[in-house]
Amino acid sequence: ILGDGRVALILDTLGLAQRAHVVSEIRERPTLSKRSEVALAPHERCAYLLFRGPDDGRMAIPLASVTRLEIIQKSKLEPSGDHDALQYRDDIMPVVPVEQVVLERRSRARSDVPVNTSNEANVIVFGRPGAYMGLVVADILDIVEGPSQLQQAGTRPGVAGTLVLQSRIAEILDLDYVLSSVLGRDQAQVLLKSA
């Protein structure tokens, strides 16, 4: 769902190429983290999922790390351990709001940020069958292309660094940190290997 409310089709080009036997192997996808760089040349580009995070901040994550985008009914969330969970594709998927794993940097909330009173939530799903995790975000804004190298290192837990995307600064989510915070280190590594 685009920022203006229109629905757009997202094609999994790698999946289509594999299905058509044009590409035979899945490429390993690098994981961004604050302490490690993406091993790509500076001129290379990367697709990012751009979303609105806590207090109207712009955040992004490499699209290659995302399994699916879902709109769920908040009423379907059930308490399970330290987090809410959702019955998802015959599995139990932990679902966590991004603001629980990436602390807000502002001491006061912006007064003009609309409060979501809807019973629906935008969820970014990571993983594979048997190892899913969902991240609730305010809005899915767009899929954009940007530099593969971070332009500045992250300054708070959960943020790998920053980039300029669509002429605005966006924080790049540290997926390793987020998954480890929710699932624990061992399970996060299993999920990251499947991403």
Side-chain angles (χ1 to χ4, degrees), residues 70-74 76-88 91-101 121-126 132-137 178 182-183:
E70 299 282 355
I71 297 176
I72 64 163
Q73 298 296 314
K74 291 178 184 175
K76 292 190 176 186
L77 293 173
E78 302 176 51
S80 176
D82 294 336
H83 307 287
D84 284 340
L86 176 71
Q87 296 177 39
Y88 184 77
D91 285 319
I92 297 174
M93 176 174 71
V95 178
V96 180
V98 69
E99 56 267 16
Q100 282 188 7
V101 288
N122 297 302
V123 179
I124 302 172
V125 178
F126 305 100
Y132 287 116
M133 192 215 116
L135 191 67
V136 178
V137 299
V178 169
V182 175
L183 304 172

Side-chain angles (χ1 to χ4, degrees), residues 1-172:
I1 298 177
L2 301 176
D4 63 2
R6 292 183 299 146
V7 176
L9 179 65
I10 300 171
L11 294 177
D12 177 8
T13 53
L14 180 59
L16 290 172
Q18 289 171 337
R19 193 160 243 235
H21 304 292
V22 176
V23 176
S24 60
E25 293 184 17
I26 296 175
R27 295 174 286 160
E28 279 193 32
R29 298 172 183 154
T31 303
L32 291 176
S33 84
K34 191 165 27 172
R35 293 177 184 86
S36 65
E37 295 181 357
V38 178
L40 296 173
H43 65 278
E44 288 192 41
R45 312 270 303 159
C46 179
Y48 293 94
L49 175 66
L50 189 64
F51 61 92
R52 193 161 53 88
D55 200 21
D56 204 31
R58 290 169 57 94
M59 301 189 86
I61 189 157
L63 186 59
S65 303
V66 176
T67 303
R68 289 185 60 87
L69 301 176
E70 299 282 355
I71 297 176
I72 64 163
Q73 298 296 314
K74 291 178 184 175
S75 58
K76 292 190 176 186
L77 293 173
E78 302 176 51
S80 176
D82 294 336
H83 307 287
D84 284 340
L86 176 71
Q87 296 177 39
Y88 184 77
R89 299 183 172 215
D90 299 324
D91 285 319
I92 297 174
M93 176 174 71
V95 178
V96 180
V98 69
E99 56 267 16
Q100 282 188 7
V101 288
V102 179
L103 299 178
E104 179 50 50
R105 64 191 176 277
R106 295 177 183 89
S107 57
R108 291 185 320 161
R110 294 180 185 174
S111 58
D112 60 346
V113 176
V115 176
N116 183 358
T117 57
S118 163
N119 188 40
E120 294 182 334
N122 297 302
V123 179
I124 302 172
V125 178
F126 305 100
R128 57 170 172 69
Y132 287 116
M133 192 215 116
L135 191 67
V136 178
V137 299
D139 285 310
I140 305 293
L141 300 175
D142 206 350
I143 294 174
V144 298
E145 191 174 275
S148 60
Q149 296 287 339
L150 296 174
Q151 293 171 287
Q152 191 173 36
T155 58
R156 60 185 172 136
V159 175
T162 55
L163 287 174
V164 174
L165 299 173
Q166 291 184 330
S167 302
R168 290 187 56 192
I169 295 172
E171 293 181 305
I172 307 303

